[in-house]
Amino acid sequence: MPNKVVVIYSGGMDSFTVLHKAVLAGHEVYALSFNYGQRHVKELECAAQVCQELGINHKIVDISAINQLLAGSSLTDNIDIPEGHYAAENMKSTVVPNRNMILLSLAVGYAVSLGASQVYYGAHSGDHFIYPDCRPEFVQKMHDVCQIANYEPVDIISPYLAQTKIEILADGLAMGLDYGKTWTCYNGREKACGKCGSCQERLEAFTLNNTTDPLPYE
């Protein structure tokens, strides 16, 4: 019997790669996406399309009401999206307070209800500087608490935790993945902006892998 796993799947390139990694490992995958009040739903639309093509069970859960409690992020509030690389200090405005702890908690609850033993999410080393809830110590502590939070222990799996987006893309390209089925830009316009931190990191990854990003840019 395949092992049931839950994959937190935003529709971006990191979680897209994680999703396929879990599928290729032979797991019975349950993809879980969240509408937490982000500026646009283009990523979620990508996620739905990919899961439909793969025949994967997929839920999109609306938790946007939590924004009554969480303020101050340019991803959810009426604050300008900063431009520049993730290493820049101004990128801290993209932090959504406690986001990954909230999403992981919900995903673990879903896993327990399914009888799934693992939850996958796409934290990677490029996120460590800006996002505390993508750092190894956070992932380890969440894993530890999820061993005791329910009668059934659930493992938190971040397969690319020690790798960069460049390395994630290299792995995905080796799997033959089509990154034209993903969305990364913080802005939800027809084309990616190419200027926000998320676009900058994505474009850098494609350049350093000596290949062209299939997404159109402004």
Side-chain angles (χ1 to χ4, degrees), residues 161-172:
L161 187 61
Q163 295 172 274
T164 65
K165 190 177 288 281
I166 300 157
E167 293 167 314
I168 294 172
L169 178 59
D171 196 28

Side-chain angles (χ1 to χ4, degrees), residues 87-180:
E89 185 71 17
N90 67 336
M91 291 306 296
K92 287 185 178 179
S93 78
T94 63
V95 173
V96 177
N98 216 35
R99 179 180 65 176
N100 283 346
M101 181 177 282
I102 294 167
L103 303 190
L104 283 166
S105 294
L106 292 169
V108 167
Y110 182 40
V112 171
S113 75
L114 290 170
S117 60
Q118 297 174 328
V119 169
Y120 282 68
Y121 91 114
H124 64 86
S125 65
D127 287 337
H128 296 174
F129 178 76
I130 294 295
Y131 302 111
D133 56 4
C134 290
R135 294 172 185 165
E137 55 268 34
F138 170 81
V139 176
Q140 184 60 53
K141 295 295 186 185
M142 282 299 294
H143 172 79
D144 291 345
V145 80
C146 290
Q147 300 301 297
I148 61 172
N150 298 279
Y151 288 115
E152 303 84 358
V154 176
D155 297 333
I156 304 299
I157 308 294
S158 293
Y160 297 112
L161 187 61
Q163 295 172 274
T164 65
K165 190 177 288 281
I166 300 157
E167 293 167 314
I168 294 172
L169 178 59
D171 196 28
L173 292 172
M175 287 187 253
L177 302 187
D178 176 7
Y179 285 91

Side-chain angles (χ1 to χ4, degrees), residues 185-205:
C185 184
Y186 284 147
N187 295 292
R189 299 190 286 267
E190 185 66 26
K191 296 180 180 180
C193 73
K195 296 178 180 179
C196 68
S198 196
C199 279
Q200 290 276 303
E201 191 183 34
R202 177 182 174 123
L203 287 167
E204 179 182 58

